[in-house]
């Protein structure tokens, strides 16, 4: 039952294709470090590939024909691409869905303070992180500041080579006797994740002169007042670029593989459809997965259902609510999210023969959850049987996986939410090492197999 290593199966042409995809993916990671940036980047890529905004068709009431390519931008933080197929929507569509938010540190609404000649920003972390991993490293600021007059200022600091970076200090080892005796979860506290932003007093300023220096820079460079931070979303992320990893360059080290590697593979898959597919295909990139898929841009919101209703309305002579229910229930979906890659240095956390192994292809997780599959979508055996055939018929390297040993921990994805409509859903993704760390690791082979697998799914499911 052991699955083969994908690298052993490649010829020269495939290796060249794998490298080309990897290069494109590294650029996708570097250009999209936040959900907003991913949507902006995805809209540009979609439009360059002939996709138009569904809102344009809705406004004009223009009917959509098989072959039409439309996208839906949800508040700039989630996005869906639809390539309309030959079959009516009531026969279901093939969905490949992933998420574009990643664990990070967010700046608070009233963030700035001065202490002992330093100016800091207070933060509230987002998603599951080991806080001690985020200190003593180069961090960048990404986000928007929305002003009262309606203008929105884009902020990106720390990405250009000559940009300054910011960070969070750690205690020197020489004075760490007490700190080193603490539990890892208490070494760095949530309130201790404060970002150092400045260290020089503004001339002629008596009260909080370093904070005044910070505010003067924000005013001068971005025309931002301190009060404007009340309506800002600034995310603190690693300043690092994605890099080839390992002397053999077989892997990629980067921020946000969870879940931009699956997002990228899903996007590549739908863009690779050169002919009108049999069934409508959808690439769905959701926000807020890391905090429970909540809010207007999380998977629990109704944007997918609403988009399906709009598509039904523009593809059928008479709109019917019953047909919408039928269309949603008839869908096939891959809920694409990263898997926990087996790590020999932490072998005790895994049950090896059911663990995802880097380089052995795209993963299928029948279930996720914790404590006896709690909170999991549990894919139907019949559906998995059909997928096995699609994967094998298309020469995809794939493996099945489970998130660690029983009762070791757990996690969830967007699968169970989409399953509420009655559609067939299974978790599928790329194995990751150091998941949720500032820099995570994937194998290029698994990225390549994911692109091939998601393409085969869209064409054949
Ligand atoms: Mn994820
Ligand atoms: Mn995650």
């Amino acid at each position: 039952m052991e699955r083969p290593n994908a690298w052993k199966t490649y010829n020269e042409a495939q290796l060249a294709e794998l490298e080309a995809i990897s290069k494109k993916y590294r650029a996708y990671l570097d250009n999209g470090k936040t959900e907003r940036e991913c949507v902006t980047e995805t809209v540009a890529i979609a439009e360059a590939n002939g996709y138009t905004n569904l809102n344009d068709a809705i406004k004009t009431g223009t009917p959509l024909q098989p072959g039409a390519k439309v996208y839906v931008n949800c508040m700039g933080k989630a996005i869906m691409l639809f390539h309309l197929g030959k079959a009516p929507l009531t026969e279901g569509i093939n969905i490949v869905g992933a998420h574009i938010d990643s664990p990070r540190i967010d700046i608070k609404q009233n963030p700035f303070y001065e202490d002992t000649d330093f100016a800091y920003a207070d933060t509230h972390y987002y998603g599951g992180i080991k806080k001690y991993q985020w200190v003593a490293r180069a961090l960048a600021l990404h986000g928007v500041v929305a002003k009262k007059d309606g203008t929105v200022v884009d902020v990106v600091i720390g990405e250009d080579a000559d940009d300054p970076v910011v960070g969070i200090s750690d205690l020197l080892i020489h004075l760490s006797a007490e700190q080193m005796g603490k539990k890892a979860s208490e070494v760095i506290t949530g309130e201790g994740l404060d970002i150092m932003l400045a260290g020089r007093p503004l001339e002629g300023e008596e009260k909080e002169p370093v904070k005044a220096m910070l505010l003067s820079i924000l005013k001068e460079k971005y025309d931002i007042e301190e009060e404007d931070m009340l309506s800002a979303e600034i995310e603190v992320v690693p300043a690092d670029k994605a890099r080839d990893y390992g002397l053999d360059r077989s892997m990629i080290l980067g921020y946000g593989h969870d879940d931009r590697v699956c997002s990228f593979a899903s996007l590549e898959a739908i863009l690779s459809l050169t002919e009108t597919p049999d069934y409508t295909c959808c690439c769905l990139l959701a926000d807020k997965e890391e905090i429970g898929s909540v809010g207007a841009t999380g998977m629990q919101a109704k944007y997918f259902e609403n988009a399906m209703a709009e598509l039904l309305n523009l593809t059928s002579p008479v709109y019917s609510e019953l047909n919408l229910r039928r269309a949603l229930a008839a869908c096939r979906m891959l809920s694409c999210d990263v898997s926990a890659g087996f790590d020999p240095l932490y072998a005790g956390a895994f049950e090896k023969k059911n663990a995802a192994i880097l380089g052995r292809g795209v993963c299928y997780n029948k279930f996720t959850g914790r404590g006896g599959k709690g909170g999991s979508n549990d894919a139907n055996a019949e559906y998995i049987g059909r997928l096995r055939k699609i994967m094998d018929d298309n020469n995809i390297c794939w493996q099945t996986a489970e998130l660690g040993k029983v009762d070791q921990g757990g996690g969830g994805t967007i699968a169970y939410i989409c399953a509420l409509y009655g559609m067939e859903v299974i978790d599928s993704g790329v194995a990751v090492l150091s998941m949720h760390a500032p820099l995570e690791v994937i194998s290029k082979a698994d990225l390549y197999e994911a692109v091939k697998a998601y393409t085969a799914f869209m064409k054949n499911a």
Side-chain angles (χ1 to χ4, degrees), residues 99 103 258 289-290 337-338 435-436:
H99 69 92
D258 178 6
E289 192 277 340
E290 296 293 358
D337 207 342
V338 291
M435 195 189 294
H436 284 207

Side-chain angles (χ1 to χ4, degrees), residues 257-324:
H257 286 315
D258 178 6
D259 184 31
R260 294 186 190 120
V261 64
C262 297
S263 302
F264 173 81
S266 306
L267 185 60
E268 279 290 297
I270 200 164
L271 296 178
S272 75
L273 301 173
T274 48
E275 288 165 16
T276 301
D278 289 340
Y279 296 96
T280 294
C281 293
C282 171
C283 163
L284 188 164
L285 306 180
D287 181 29
K288 299 283 184 287
E289 192 277 340
E290 296 293 358
I291 58 168
S293 298
V294 291
T297 55
M299 197 65 233
Q300 293 189 48
K302 301 291 180 208
Y303 49 86
F304 172 69
E305 184 179 328
N306 292 345
M308 286 290 282
E310 297 286 4
L311 290 176
L312 259 183
N313 189 43
L314 293 174
T315 54
S316 23
V318 184
Y319 176 80
S320 144
E321 182 69 14
L322 180 60
N323 280 345
L324 174 63

